[in-house]
Amino acid sequence: SDEPAHFHRAVSLTNLDFFCDKDANGQYYFPMKRKYAELPDVMRTFDVAFRYDSKFTLDWLRADFSDPRYDEEAAVYRFCSLPPAGYLPNAFGILVGKPFENPLVSFYLGRVFGAVFFALAIVLALKTTPDRYRPIVYFYAALPAVLHQVSANSYDAVQLSLFPLLFAYLMSIVTDKGAVRP
C-alpha cells in the first residue's frame, strides 16, 4: 500500500527533482506528468489495498493513457522527506520506460531494475562471503518478504541489497587471518 509513494519519489528523480517545490500556499510538492501522478488512482490501488470487496481485474491494465491531459503537469503533495539514494535502481528502470505512452511500463521496469540490483548484490556478496557463511546469504536471498520488497518500487531495493554485502565484508574481515585489505 505504500508503493505509490515510492513510485512517485522515483519518478521525481527521473525528472531531476531532488527536492520538493513550494506552491503559492506554502505546500511542498513534486511536479510530474499526470499519467505518473494519477497512476495509483487509475489502477485503483487503494481500493484493492483497503477494501476487501474490491478485487483487481486485468482490464485495468488496459487503461488508455493517450488522452492529452495525461501529458499535463500535476503536483504530488506528499513524500518530500523520502531520501533519493534508495530509489536509484527503480529510477533507472522508470527512466528506461518513460518513452512509452503507458506509465505501467515504467512502473514495472522500476520493479525489474530493483530486482536486478538485488541479484547483482547477492552475487557479489556470495563471491566475498567465506564458504562456511554462504548458506546465510542464500537463506536471506530466498526469504519471500525480502524478494517481495526488492522487486517493488521502494528504497528497500537498495537497503535490502546492501545488507548481504555488509555481512559478506564483515565475515571476510572477521575470518581473514592476514591483514585486512582496504
Side-chain angles (χ1 to χ4, degrees):
S1 60
D2 64 344
E3 191 171 17
H6 298 300
F7 174 69
H8 285 143
R9 184 60 177 123
V11 169
S12 72
L13 291 178
T14 66
N15 297 333
L16 300 178
D17 291 325
F18 298 102
F19 305 102
C20 282
D21 292 340
K22 192 177 194 180
D23 70 7
N25 298 324
Q27 299 293 319
Y28 291 94
Y29 70 96
F30 285 118
M32 65 185 64
K33 285 187 177 183
R34 189 173 299 279
K35 67 181 178 181
Y36 299 108
E38 294 182 2
L39 183 64
D41 298 328
V42 172
M43 292 293 116
R44 299 179 182 108
T45 302
F46 299 107
D47 290 342
V48 173
F50 301 115
R51 289 185 40 216
Y52 178 76
D53 61 328
S54 182
K55 304 296 182 200
F56 182 80
T57 176
L58 290 176
D59 291 338
W60 296 350
L61 295 175
R62 295 180 191 87
D64 183 15
F65 291 95
S66 63
D67 188 333
R69 77 177 189 90
Y70 283 117
D71 288 328
E72 297 171 2
E73 189 171 280
V76 175
Y77 280 94
R78 300 174 301 273
F79 324 121
C80 288
S81 63
L82 298 173
Y87 297 100
L88 292 178
N90 302 124
F92 285 128
I94 290 169
L95 191 61
V96 169
K98 274 197 160 184
F100 296 93
E101 181 178 69
N102 192 328
L104 284 172
V105 174
S106 288
F107 178 79
Y108 285 111
L109 282 175
R111 285 179 156 198
V112 167
F113 274 59
V116 167
F117 182 78
F118 177 72
L120 294 173
I122 291 297
V123 168
L124 183 58
L126 288 170
K127 287 183 177 184
T128 308
T129 305
D131 290 342
R132 68 179 182 204
Y133 296 108
R134 283 189 187 145
I136 296 171
V137 176
Y138 282 116
F139 178 75
Y140 174 81
L143 288 172
V146 170
L147 293 172
H148 170 72
Q149 287 300 106
V150 300
S151 62
N153 286 297
S154 172
Y155 52 70
D156 292 330
V158 170
Q159 290 182 358
L160 294 174
S161 298
L162 294 180
F163 289 147
L165 286 172
L166 291 172
F167 174 78
Y169 289 121
L170 178 64
M171 290 301 104
S172 181
I173 290 169
V174 169
T175 61
D176 197 6
K177 298 199 186 312
V180 176
R181 296 181 323 211

